[in-house]
């Protein structure tokens, strides 16, 4: 009788190349992926933690609440005198909840600086009781844990404009690793499928096998959320990624550009109550919103002079997805434009929502919990993956002895 020869199934070229890419990219950017994943995971519950730690300054005492808060201009002068900074106050965020305090922000950047600490000249957040003018709390956000975590996550503490590419390239490679990881995980038959979805360690005694299962199984479950994290992350870094989203969602390469509205009252003397007029009108139009932000230094985020006063209105506390935009004349306070969230096209809506999607807040507390678990797994993948590779190298070394 002829002996039966059992031939192993040949590994497909797709799996071979996937294994190579997965290994090469993993070894080359594993450390950065670990740092980005860890800092991102730690940042997820920022709002919940800060809301508890700053509870005494976020809310004003009930007995101090009056029918009408003090003028924004008066409050700004009080803050400027007490803080005594050489930089002007950048903006004020006003909550619609009368029990919450106003937040005045000092923020200036040096674009020529090469690192985070030199780039951010000042980032101070001042909580003020709008009814009495009392300063409730001063926080130097530049040296606070969460802004530093964000800066590490965004640019490894390098200049934010070009440091994002230092992070962006490894994240692109990480996305490729996730795809190749799914290809490698995919079982060839039903028998192999059983061990790919759950841990079966009854007869497993070696840590190497357990480590491999942790990398393989946890990596699979986290990979789909990790892909969302990766894609929403490089959306911030690369214009071409935004363009792909824009074309897919709205059929246009770029987002609609805001038309420059010429001020009809430019020859008028500036009204001293200009910010109060904008705040009053904003409250009327968006009474059910969470808060709104008014720039006070006459400049946008890029440091350019504003022709008018743009007011951003946020629909939900701790979220940026539902965002309405108002434009007021900077001399008279007259409303020039009102662009509610409902009028935005799909690409604009996604642009506003991308941060919330990236942090998990878009899906509420449940989303944040899921994102946190996925983030922990992503943090572990470079470690377990490296240990798998190291174990194979040691095994090869033993065989060659």
């Amino acid at each position: 009788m002829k002996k039966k020869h059992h031939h192993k199934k040949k590994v497909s070229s797709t799996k071979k190349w996937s294994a190579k890419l997965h290994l090469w990219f993993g070894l080359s950017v594993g450390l950065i992926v670990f740092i980005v994943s860890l800092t991102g995971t730690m940042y997820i519950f920022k709002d919940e933690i800060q809301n508890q730690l700053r509870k005494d300054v976020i809310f004003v005492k009930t007995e101090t609440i009056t029918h009408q808060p003090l003028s924004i201009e008066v409050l700004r002068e009080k803050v400027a005198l007490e803080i005594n900074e050489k930089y002007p106050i950048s903006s004020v965020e006003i909550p619609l909840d009368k029990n919450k305090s106003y937040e005045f922000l000092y923020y200036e950047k040096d674009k020529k600086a090469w690192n985070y600490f030199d780039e951010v000249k000042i980032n101070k957040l001042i909580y003020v009781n709008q009814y009495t003018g009392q300063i409730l709390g001063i926080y130097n956000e530049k040296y606070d844990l969460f802004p530093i975590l964000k800066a590490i996550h965004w640019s490894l503490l390098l200049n934010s404009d070009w440091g994002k590419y230092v992070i962006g390239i490894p994240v692109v490679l990480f996305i490729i690793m996730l795809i190749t990881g799914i290809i490698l995980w995919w079982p060839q038959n039903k028998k192999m499928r059983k061990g790919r979805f759950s841990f079966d360690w009854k007869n497993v005694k070696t840590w190497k096998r357990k480590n491999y299962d942790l990398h393989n199984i946890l990596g699979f479950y986290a990979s789909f959320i990790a892909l969302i994290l990766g894609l929403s992350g490089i959306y911030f870094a690369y214009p071409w990624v935004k363009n792909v989203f824009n074309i897919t969602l709205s059929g246009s390469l770029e987002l609609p550009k805001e038309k420059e509205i010429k001020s009809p009252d430019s020859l008028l003397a500036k009204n001293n109550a200009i910010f109060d007029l904008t705040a009053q009108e904003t409250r009327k139009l968006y009474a059910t919103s969470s808060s709104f932000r008014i720039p006070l230094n006459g400049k946008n985020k890029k440091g350019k002079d504003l022709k008018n006063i743009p007011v951003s209105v946020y629909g939900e506390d701790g979220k940026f997805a539902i965002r309405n935009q108002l434009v007021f004349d900077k001399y008279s306070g007259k409303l020039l434009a009102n662009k509610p969230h409902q009028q935005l096209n799909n690409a604009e809506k996604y642009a506003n929502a991308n941060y919330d999607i990236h942090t998990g807040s878009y899906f509420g507390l449940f989303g944040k919990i899921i994102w946190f678990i996925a983030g922990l797994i992503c943090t572990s993948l470079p470690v377990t993956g490296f240990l798998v590779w190291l174990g194979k190298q040691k095994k090869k070394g033993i065989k060659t002895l």
Side-chain angles (χ1 to χ4, degrees):
M1 290 177 71
K2 290 182 180 180
K3 289 183 179 180
K4 290 183 180 180
H5 296 281
H6 296 281
H7 297 286
K8 289 184 178 179
K9 285 188 177 181
K10 287 185 178 179
V11 180
S12 67
S13 57
T14 305
K15 285 213 171 190
K16 280 182 181 178
W17 276 105
S18 293
K20 288 180 180 180
L21 291 174
H22 197 78
L23 174 62
W24 294 338
F25 292 163
L27 292 174
S28 59
V29 299
L31 180 60
I32 294 178
V33 170
F34 174 82
I35 294 169
V36 171
S37 298
L38 180 61
T39 52
T41 304
M42 291 173 70
Y43 188 83
I44 286 174
F45 290 108
K46 164 190 166 280
D47 291 339
E48 287 77 9
I49 294 169
Q50 283 192 342
N51 287 345
Q52 285 299 311
L53 294 176
R54 301 181 182 182
K55 188 165 54 176
D56 293 338
V57 299
I58 290 173
F59 292 92
V60 299
K61 290 181 179 179
T62 309
E63 59 268 23
T64 65
I65 298 172
T66 58
H67 179 67
Q68 190 71 24
L70 294 173
S71 163
I72 294 171
E73 192 61 42
V74 169
L75 292 170
R76 178 167 75 157
E77 287 177 6
K78 279 180 175 287
V79 171
L81 284 170
E82 190 155 341
I83 304 303
N84 194 25
E85 283 288 350
K86 62 180 179 179
Y87 303 103
I89 297 171
S90 308
S91 64
V92 60
E93 184 160 343
I94 299 174
L96 272 291
D97 184 349
K98 65 180 183 179
N99 296 296
K100 287 186 174 182
S101 58
Y102 284 12
E103 296 177 19
F104 286 85
L105 177 69
Y106 284 92
Y107 191 79
E108 290 285 339
K109 287 174 71 175
D110 178 7
K111 291 184 177 180
K112 295 178 181 178
W114 69 271
N115 67 81
Y116 164 79
F117 294 104
D118 290 336
E119 181 186 17
V120 179
K121 292 180 179 179
I122 186 171
N123 182 9
K124 276 188 181 178
L125 191 59
I126 320 298
Y127 292 86
V128 180
N129 184 325
Q130 61 270 32
Y131 305 104
T132 64
Q134 180 191 1
I135 291 179
L136 303 174
I138 303 169
Y139 292 89
N140 193 346
E141 300 282 87
K142 178 178 177 177
Y143 299 105
D144 192 68
L145 173 63
F146 289 108
I148 291 174
L149 285 174
K150 187 178 180 181
I152 297 170
H153 185 77
W154 174 267
S155 61
L156 288 181
L157 292 178
L158 300 171
N159 178 289
S160 59
D161 285 337
W162 52 264
K164 62 186 179 183
Y165 300 114
V166 177
I167 292 294
I169 294 167
V171 173
V172 170
L173 298 182
F174 179 60
I175 290 169
I176 297 170
M177 286 166 62
L178 290 169
I179 295 167
T180 54
I182 292 169
I183 292 169
L184 292 171
W185 172 92
W186 206 264
Q188 291 179 330
N189 51 54
K190 289 182 179 180
K191 189 178 179 181
M192 291 179 70
R193 198 177 301 161
K194 289 181 181 179
R196 299 294 171 96
F197 287 102
S198 59
F199 299 101
D200 185 9
W201 289 345
K202 287 181 180 178
N203 300 317
V204 176
K205 294 180 180 179
T206 62
W207 70 267
K208 287 183 181 179
R209 177 65 197 186
K210 289 179 180 179
N211 177 72
Y212 175 81
D213 286 347
L214 285 170
H215 187 78
N216 204 29
I217 297 168
L218 292 182
F220 168 74
Y221 283 118
S223 59
F224 300 100
I225 292 172
L227 282 170
I228 296 171
L229 289 168
L231 290 170
S232 58
I234 60 173
Y235 179 92
F236 291 118
Y238 298 111
W240 62 268
V241 176
K242 288 185 180 180
N243 294 341
V244 171
F245 273 83
N246 294 340
I247 291 172
T248 305
L249 294 170
S250 296
S252 177
L253 194 65
E254 294 183 354
L255 295 174
K257 291 183 178 179
E258 294 295 330
K259 292 180 181 179
E260 188 179 302
I261 305 170
K262 291 184 178 180
S263 175
D265 300 328
S266 59
L267 299 176
L268 296 175
K270 189 174 181 180
N271 191 324
N272 290 330
I274 190 75
F275 297 123
D276 293 302
L277 290 171
T278 60
Q280 187 179 356
E281 187 65 21
T282 303
R283 283 192 181 97
K284 284 181 184 177
L285 292 168
Y286 295 101
T288 58
S289 294
S290 171
S291 65
F292 56 94
R293 183 181 292 272
I294 303 175
L296 299 179
N297 62 352
K299 293 182 179 181
N300 62 15
K301 289 181 180 179
K302 294 180 180 179
K304 293 182 179 179
D305 291 334
L306 291 167
K307 298 288 176 73
N308 298 294
I309 302 174
V311 177
S312 299
V313 186
Y314 306 107
E316 295 181 53
D317 192 27
K319 293 184 181 182
F320 298 97
I322 300 174
R323 199 181 311 175
N324 312 286
Q325 192 73 34
L326 296 171
V327 179
F328 293 91
D329 187 283
K330 69 177 182 179
Y331 299 98
S332 65
K334 188 187 294 181
L335 180 64
L336 301 177
N338 178 11
K339 195 173 184 181
H341 171 77
Q342 293 81 1
Q343 289 182 8
L344 302 179
N345 65 36
N346 290 331
E348 289 175 302
K349 287 178 180 177
Y350 182 82
N352 288 344
N354 187 68
Y355 177 85
D356 293 342
I357 291 169
H358 189 64
T359 59
S361 61
Y362 186 84
F363 309 99
L365 182 60
F366 176 76
K368 282 191 170 188
I369 293 169
I370 298 298
W371 258 233
F372 181 79
I373 294 168
L376 287 177
I377 294 171
C378 288
T379 305
S380 74
L381 290 177
V383 178
T384 54
F386 178 77
L387 291 174
V388 169
W389 173 80
L390 195 64
K392 287 180 179 179
Q393 295 304 111
K394 286 181 178 179
K395 194 174 181 181
K396 283 180 183 178
I398 292 169
K399 282 184 178 180
T400 53
L401 288 177

